[in-house]
Amino acid sequence: MPNFTVNLEITRNEIRGLYMKSGFAGKSFAQASRWPLKKDQALAEQLVRFLEERFAEARVVNLNAPYEAIFLREFTLPFTDKDKVKDVLPFEIEATVPYQLEEITYDTLSVIRGNETKVIVAGCAVDLLLPTLKELQNVGISIGSIYVPPYALYQFAMEHNLEEAMVYFIERHTSIFLYWEKGELPHMRIMPLGYERLISSLQRELSVDSQLAWEIFQRLSSFNYAEILEGDFLKHVKMNRKEIPAVRRVVEEFREQFLREVQFFRQTLQVSKEDVPEYFFCDLDHCLLLQSLLGKSNLVVFPYEETPLAMFPKEMLMAMAAGYATQQRKGLNLLQGKLRKEARVKTTLRGKYFFILLALSFLFFVLSFYFDFRYRSRFLQQKQIEASRIFESYFGMAPTSDNIVEEAMLLVEKERRKTEIFRKFFTGEKFSQTLVALHQNLPVGIGLEIESIGYDTKTLELSGSLPSFAALNELKTALRNSGRFDGVESSREKSMPSPQGNRIKFSLIIKPKEKKEGAL
């Protein structure tokens, strides 16, 4: 059975799950699901039920730290020694959070700049995470990591070529602001300000139920801030004109709150560039109203259609971002310290059986390999002895190498060559017979002077001289027409001076006819 890893985002009103797999071909997302939370049931119980019904084969999950419980801190330490940073940092953290160190889990990112070390710390209270972890482990589901949503969103943006950016993200209950320059750590801020506050204000001001307030907000989201103030939205939204001032007042109040948080975030930054691109992220399909609240003409809505998120609802943005963040070796993972020890201690019985079975399988493999190796070694040794005996009985001597087959093939090849030499010697034309045939077929009176005769079983080489090229042609013609030779070719023909005048020196390559097999 394959092991599935599910990235989870737990918000105040629902659980979102996204199954991701990764390999040589990259990351791929296969299944997404959402589960509305009920206020009268424990979160851990609902989470287990969600996984059992929607992701039954899940064995590992990546959880988000609760939005409302995350703390983010930035420190600049006036030294670069890693051991010193590790020793000093806990005291710096404890002085800035309302917890004791043993009550929190945290992780850090650091970068050295000159003589300083810049550190980002993200953490959460342990007690807020333990109940969920224990409930999951009781049903055999292990925790892969506890990711930090702002950092996950940063990794998602980096994976899609945003090397530097100012990012504004708003969802139902939370807003996240990010800023980073190329090669630097991101500045992150998370706050409990989402469009739920706008929906609640509409519900209160218009005296409607929560469902109708949500529907009104969805219709208003297709208009920008200026159209809301001017009342243009009335052409498309059924609403009493007496309610327009209340809508304008609600939108204006929310805009002031949102811009106040944005302004505070920008004031805390040390922005060294004016041309850093600004992007707007939202988990709604229609977010023109929220985007226009910032009042920025250069603000770009992140192109979701160019990412795998195009296949899923935009509410899956953070769960997908977790898939990228948890694949990083150097990221923020709150499964640290006491929390990691608790997770290790609470290994399920099914997990123990799995590891025991795995160990026994490995032991069985090693033993079977060992006995098989011994059997095959003994078998090969016996075959080697038998092959040596056969070799010695056939060739009359013991083999001189371990590769008996190759040595036997070489000896057989040598014997074959000897046999071929003897065969050619006994079946080939004899030298005396070739000379007689040559003498009988030499033309008379052409002035031939023979200097040397060379002979082997295949050819006879005759070197000499003649008074003219015509005499040479007459000699070759006579030998060819004799019927005793298969070929007569001349070479090295040249005219040389002599006491009798110029003579033609030459060499004739004469090939006697082969003697047929069985002929005497």
Side-chain angles (χ1 to χ4, degrees):
M1 179 184 294
N3 287 331
F4 291 89
T5 299
V6 179
N7 300 313
L8 297 175
E9 182 195 13
I10 303 174
T11 68
R12 294 183 188 178
N13 60 328
E14 70 176 356
I15 303 171
R16 301 163 183 172
L18 185 64
Y19 161 61
M20 184 192 78
K21 61 181 179 180
S22 60
F24 294 108
K27 302 177 183 66
S28 62
F29 300 88
Q31 180 183 347
S33 186
R34 301 165 64 185
W35 183 279
L37 290 174
K38 297 179 180 179
K39 294 182 180 180
D40 57 344
Q41 295 183 11
L43 170 62
E45 295 177 3
Q46 295 183 74
L47 179 57
V48 169
R49 187 177 173 189
F50 166 68
L51 292 172
E52 289 176 345
E53 293 190 14
R54 305 292 173 82
F55 299 95
E57 295 179 326
R59 291 295 173 267
V60 180
V61 297
N62 297 316
L63 289 173
N64 65 295
Y67 284 93
E68 65 278 5
I70 297 172
F71 63 82
L72 298 168
R73 300 290 185 271
E74 295 183 16
F75 300 100
T76 300
L77 304 178
F79 42 80
T80 59
D81 184 80
K82 292 183 179 180
D83 293 333
K84 191 174 181 180
V85 170
K86 186 177 180 180
D87 293 337
V88 171
L89 197 57
F91 299 99
E92 296 286 341
I93 296 172
E94 190 172 24
T96 60
V97 297
Y99 302 100
Q100 299 296 322
L101 279 179
E102 59 271 15
E103 296 175 340
I104 63 173
T105 177
Y106 67 90
D107 197 10
T108 65
L109 290 174
S110 62
V111 62
I112 296 175
R113 290 292 178 263
N115 296 324
E116 299 178 333
T117 302
K118 294 185 177 182
V119 184
I120 291 178
V121 179
C124 178
V126 172
D127 291 342
L128 297 175
L129 298 170
L130 275 179
T132 303
L133 268 62
K134 291 178 179 179
E135 194 70 28
L136 289 174
Q137 289 165 348
N138 287 338
V139 295
I141 298 175
S142 61
I143 312 301
S145 67
I146 300 176
Y147 68 91
V148 180
Y151 186 76
L153 187 64
Y154 162 72
Q155 284 294 340
F156 178 79
M158 289 288 288
E159 284 284 340
H160 294 91
N161 303 319
L162 297 189
E163 294 185 349
E164 53 183 16
M166 176 79 76
V167 168
Y168 309 97
F169 169 75
I170 183 168
E171 57 103 46
R172 185 150 190 165
H173 300 283
T174 310
S175 293
I176 294 173
F177 300 154
L178 301 172
Y179 172 77
W180 69 93
E181 296 180 8
K182 189 173 182 180
E184 297 292 338
L185 293 175
H187 299 275
M188 302 181 290
R189 185 160 186 243
I190 182 170
M191 66 219 74
L193 177 62
Y195 51 79
E196 177 64 29
R197 187 171 300 185
L198 182 56
I199 297 171
S200 299
S201 297
L202 287 172
Q203 180 182 354
R204 184 183 64 254
E205 293 291 335
L206 300 179
S207 300
V208 295
D209 59 24
S210 59
Q211 180 61 33
L212 183 55
W214 166 248
E215 293 174 0
I216 292 173
F217 168 73
Q218 285 185 308
R219 291 196 292 268
L220 292 177
S221 295
S222 299
F223 302 92
N224 61 38
Y225 175 65
E227 290 173 327
I228 298 294
L229 293 182
E230 294 170 5
D232 293 347
F233 66 95
L234 284 176
K235 301 175 184 178
H236 307 279
V237 179
K238 293 181 180 180
M239 185 176 292
N240 192 327
R241 285 189 174 272
K242 294 180 181 180
E243 297 174 331
I244 295 178
V247 172
R248 289 173 177 167
R249 185 169 57 255
V250 167
V251 173
E252 181 63 26
E253 288 177 357
F254 182 79
R255 178 175 179 271
E256 289 178 0
Q257 293 174 344
F258 191 69
L259 288 180
R260 191 182 305 121
E261 297 293 344
V262 171
Q263 185 178 5
F264 177 78
F265 177 67
R266 294 183 68 92
Q267 288 175 349
T268 60
L269 299 177
Q270 297 177 354
V271 180
S272 60
K273 293 183 178 181
E274 296 296 333
D275 58 345
V276 174
E278 299 187 33
Y279 289 88
F280 182 77
F281 286 72
C282 185
D283 62 353
L284 293 174
D285 290 328
H286 303 287
C287 54
L288 184 58
L289 172 59
L290 298 175
Q291 178 190 354
S292 64
L293 293 181
L294 289 165
K296 294 179 176 291
S297 59
N298 62 338
L299 189 65
V300 178
V301 177
F302 184 78
Y304 299 104
E305 65 278 359
E306 299 177 7
T307 73
L309 191 62
M311 302 182 296
F312 302 99
K314 287 185 180 179
E315 289 85 355
M316 291 295 144
L317 171 61
M318 194 58 69
M320 182 171 290
Y324 291 94
T326 54
Q327 296 296 314
Q328 301 295 320
R329 294 183 62 185
K330 294 183 178 180
L332 291 175
N333 178 11
L334 299 189
L335 192 64
Q336 304 287 341
K338 179 182 177 181
L339 214 56
R340 185 179 292 276
K341 292 179 181 178
E342 287 288 342
R344 190 182 303 120
V345 169
K346 298 298 181 180
T347 304
T348 62
L349 188 60
R350 179 164 52 180
K352 291 180 180 178
Y353 284 152
F354 171 76
F355 286 110
I356 292 173
L357 182 61
L358 183 64
L360 290 176
S361 300
F362 179 75
L363 180 62
F364 174 76
F365 169 77
V366 171
L367 291 175
S368 61
F369 178 81
Y370 171 73
F371 288 116
D372 182 69
F373 178 77
R374 288 194 60 184
Y375 169 76
R376 290 180 181 276
S377 298
R378 190 176 302 139
F379 177 79
L380 289 175
Q381 188 176 10
Q382 293 175 351
K383 291 296 181 183
Q384 189 84 356
I385 294 173
E386 293 178 8
S388 298
R389 290 173 181 172
I390 295 173
F391 183 95
E392 189 172 356
S393 64
Y394 186 80
F395 294 103
M397 63 178 185
T400 58
S401 66
D402 293 334
N403 197 336
I404 299 175
V405 175
E406 184 177 352
E407 186 176 355
M409 291 177 64
L410 289 175
L411 291 175
V412 170
E413 179 64 19
K414 288 180 181 179
E415 293 297 325
R416 189 192 67 77
R417 290 178 182 176
K418 289 180 183 178
T419 302
E420 182 67 18
I421 291 171
F422 283 118
R423 187 191 67 78
K424 290 182 178 179
F425 178 79
F426 289 114
T427 60
E429 188 79 17
K430 299 298 186 289
F431 180 51
S432 59
Q433 295 174 342
T434 303
L435 287 180
V436 171
L438 179 63
H439 177 72
Q440 290 175 348
N441 293 280
L442 287 176
V444 181
I446 60 174
L448 172 64
E449 292 183 1
I450 297 175
E451 296 178 357
S452 64
I453 296 177
Y455 179 75
D456 60 17
T457 57
K458 293 183 178 180
T459 59
L460 180 145
E461 183 177 359
L462 173 64
S463 299
S465 62
L466 285 167
S468 64
F469 283 104
L472 178 58
N473 289 334
E474 183 181 351
L475 173 61
K476 291 192 289 185
T477 301
L479 294 177
R480 287 170 182 163
N481 296 335
S482 65
R484 296 295 303 274
F485 307 104
D486 284 339
V488 179
E489 302 294 337
S490 61
S491 64
R492 300 194 294 273
E493 301 173 358
K494 57 184 177 178
S495 178
M496 299 288 292
S498 69
Q500 295 83 18
N502 287 343
R503 291 183 65 83
I504 308 302
K505 295 185 70 66
F506 66 90
S507 290
L508 284 182
I509 305 300
I510 304 169
K511 185 178 180 182
K513 282 191 173 182
E514 290 188 4
K515 190 175 181 180
K516 294 181 179 180
E517 294 289 341
L520 297 175

